[in-house]
Amino acid sequence: MDSLITAAARALAAGDLLGALKRVALRDDAPALALRGIAMARLGDFVRAKNLLKRAGRAFGPREAVARARCIVAEAEIALVLRDLGFPARTLAAARATLDAHGDRLNAVHAACLEIRRLLLIGRLDEAERMLADIDPAPLPPALRVGHELVTAGIAIRRLRTRPARDALERADAAARRAGIGALAAEVEGAARLLTVPAARLIAKGGQRPLQLDEVEAVMASKALVVDAIRYVVRDARTEISLTRRPVLFALARALGEAWPNDVPRSALISRAFRGKHADESHRARLRVEIGRLRRALRPLADLSATADGFVLEPRGRRDVVVLARPVEEDHAEVLACLADGEAWSSSALSLALGASQRTVQRALDTLATAGKVQSYGRARARRWMMPTVPGFTTALLLPAPMPSG
């Protein structure tokens, strides 16, 4: 490798993007194309960066497997920033295996962190945790240590483990300062902000208040019976009953939880569960059936008793009932949760992250765009969606992932 390429690589590692470009801007050999691609990606010109990295990958010969694998990893990182979640995971995994086999441990770890970040975005926390457990962060340089700690914090936040999340973010902040790269420090600062803004609302005994993540964790670990309107489950610290696929039962459970310790009139339950404006005998008959189903579903945690006017929730044991709701409740909140990270998403990436059909996501985006809550740019496959401004609330709980089971 010649001196200009070496100097450009050192400049990139130090965060001096313009210094790196000055050394390789007029060169078209494979190493120069790769370095230019990485520099352009860090400057935000992702389209040009992708083209340069593809050209570099083709320019490297068959004997330069490590260099080609590095180009693939760089392309994968750009795809992650662009929320192109359809980037072939097998290609990235093969590149990581090549780097590991040839002794390039640092870039192999970087590739693994990219795979973990993608798994986080699509809610596959168990796989992400298994991959993270195989990485030893001790030998990592500061810049890569930041990425590792951010992934660690991301998993901890999604698992509602705020103390490990804070510890990981503190380590990430220290590593970012040692690396001296402003973009990394800003990323750590943005992640740390998630721990200080409202993550949910607590509704109990006729009142409500916002909760931060550590407070949500405390509620989940308490003796209270929690009607979780974020994950559509009813739970306590030991038992969880999922009503995800039974929306009518959950609507009844939430109405009863919000009114506890008072009862809820039958007309109000019919309105909440069936959206009926006027209750007739058929509605009342259906309500009796659904209340019976809910009583059987909640038997390990609570009972439902009939009153003169309606029904009341009676938790087993002497404990309170609380409802945990989203900080902002509106239609298509899951889509807004993804877009609230400030990145531009395609509808296909949103579909993959939310586990919904692409047509469903497109309809939601059109509705939100009409209301002025999201905006798009580009056309056809290049169309991307983002929010005009990022709201001040934590979105981690809105994304697809299982809550802790106690």
Side-chain angles (χ1 to χ4, degrees):
M1 190 176 293
D2 60 55
S3 58
L4 279 178
I5 294 295
T6 302
R10 288 175 178 170
L12 269 181
D16 182 9
L17 306 181
L18 297 181
L21 284 173
K22 280 196 304 184
R23 292 171 172 84
V24 295
L26 300 178
R27 295 178 52 166
D28 285 329
D29 53 299
L33 289 172
L35 290 172
R36 283 166 58 194
I38 295 171
M40 295 308 296
R42 293 188 182 177
L43 288 171
D45 191 344
F46 298 115
V47 174
R48 184 173 298 179
K50 285 173 63 176
N51 291 334
L52 287 168
L53 288 166
K54 286 183 182 296
R55 288 174 58 192
R58 290 192 295 266
F60 282 117
R63 295 184 179 180
E64 297 172 294
V66 172
R68 296 173 71 178
R70 290 173 181 170
C71 289
I72 291 172
V73 173
E75 283 187 66
E77 186 168 13
I78 292 172
L80 192 65
V81 172
L82 292 175
R83 295 300 185 259
D84 179 12
L85 303 184
F87 186 87
R90 290 184 180 180
T91 301
L92 179 57
R96 175 167 59 89
T98 298
L99 294 169
D100 198 38
H102 287 80
D104 190 352
R105 300 281 188 266
L106 296 183
N107 279 310
V109 167
H110 182 50
C113 286
L114 293 178
E115 291 184 68
I116 295 170
R117 288 174 64 186
R118 179 183 178 275
L119 291 171
L120 267 179
L121 283 174
I122 59 178
R124 292 159 62 176
L125 296 192
D126 292 338
E127 291 179 53
E129 279 189 311
R130 285 195 294 269
M131 286 193 66
L132 186 65
D134 293 334
I135 299 175
D136 178 13
L140 299 180
L144 285 183
R145 184 65 182 268
V146 172
H148 178 273
E149 297 299 349
L150 284 175
V151 167
T152 302
I155 293 175
I157 287 173
R158 297 282 291 279
R159 295 290 197 194
L160 279 184
R161 301 169 185 161
T162 51
R163 183 68 258 174
R166 290 184 192 279
D167 293 342
L169 289 170
E170 288 173 4
R171 295 191 298 267
D173 183 60
R177 277 195 237 124
R178 289 197 303 273
I181 300 176
L184 288 178
E187 188 174 359
V188 174
E189 183 181 353
R193 200 175 299 121
L194 296 177
L195 300 178
T196 62
V197 296
R201 283 182 302 126
L202 183 73
I203 305 172
K205 297 180 179 179
Q208 58 180 289
R209 63 184 178 89
L211 299 180
Q212 295 182 358
L213 273 174
D214 55 349
E215 295 173 307
V216 176
E217 182 181 16
V219 168
M220 291 296 185
S222 70
K223 295 181 179 179
L225 178 66
V226 181
V227 181
D228 185 353
I230 297 171
R231 302 293 170 155
Y232 301 101
V233 301
V234 180
R235 55 170 294 142
D236 62 10
R238 296 181 178 180
T239 306
E240 176 179 299
I241 298 171
S242 176
L243 299 176
T244 305
R245 299 183 181 276
R246 308 179 79 174
V248 171
L249 296 192
F250 184 80
L252 293 172
R254 177 169 179 175
L256 293 165
E258 289 179 353
W260 186 89
N262 301 317
D263 63 350
V264 183
R266 289 173 176 81
S267 59
L269 290 172
I270 289 171
S271 177
R272 288 283 294 268
F274 311 140
R275 303 186 185 277
K277 294 182 180 180
H278 304 287
D280 56 25
E281 189 56 38
S282 65
H283 286 110
R284 286 188 283 271
R286 184 182 176 193
L287 178 62
R288 288 193 294 271
V289 171
E290 298 297 347
I291 286 290
R293 290 171 176 167
L294 181 61
R295 184 181 285 116
R296 288 192 294 275
L298 298 185
R299 188 168 291 145
L301 298 177
D303 192 14
L304 299 179
S305 297
T307 65
D309 295 324
F311 294 90
V312 65
L313 184 64
E314 296 180 342
R316 302 196 184 283
R318 301 181 64 181
R319 53 181 172 175
D320 292 339
V321 177
V322 300
V323 174
L324 198 66
R326 292 186 172 97
V328 176
E329 289 196 281
E330 57 182 279
D331 293 337
H332 314 304
E334 294 85 355
V335 175
L336 290 174
C338 289
L339 296 178
D341 65 0
E343 302 293 346
W345 289 68
S346 66
S347 60
S348 60
L350 288 169
S351 173
L352 184 59
L354 298 174
S357 72
Q358 191 167 344
R359 184 61 191 136
T360 298
V361 170
Q362 287 170 343
R363 284 196 296 266
L365 289 169
D366 289 340
T367 301
L368 292 170
T370 302
K373 295 176 181 178
V374 300
Q375 60 189 22
S376 66
Y377 64 89
R379 294 184 177 182
R381 291 188 176 183
R383 194 177 194 187
R384 295 293 183 271
W385 296 85
M386 61 190 304
M387 294 184 70
T389 57
V390 178
F393 62 85
T394 298
T395 62
L397 295 184
L398 307 186
L399 300 177
M403 291 292 264
S405 57

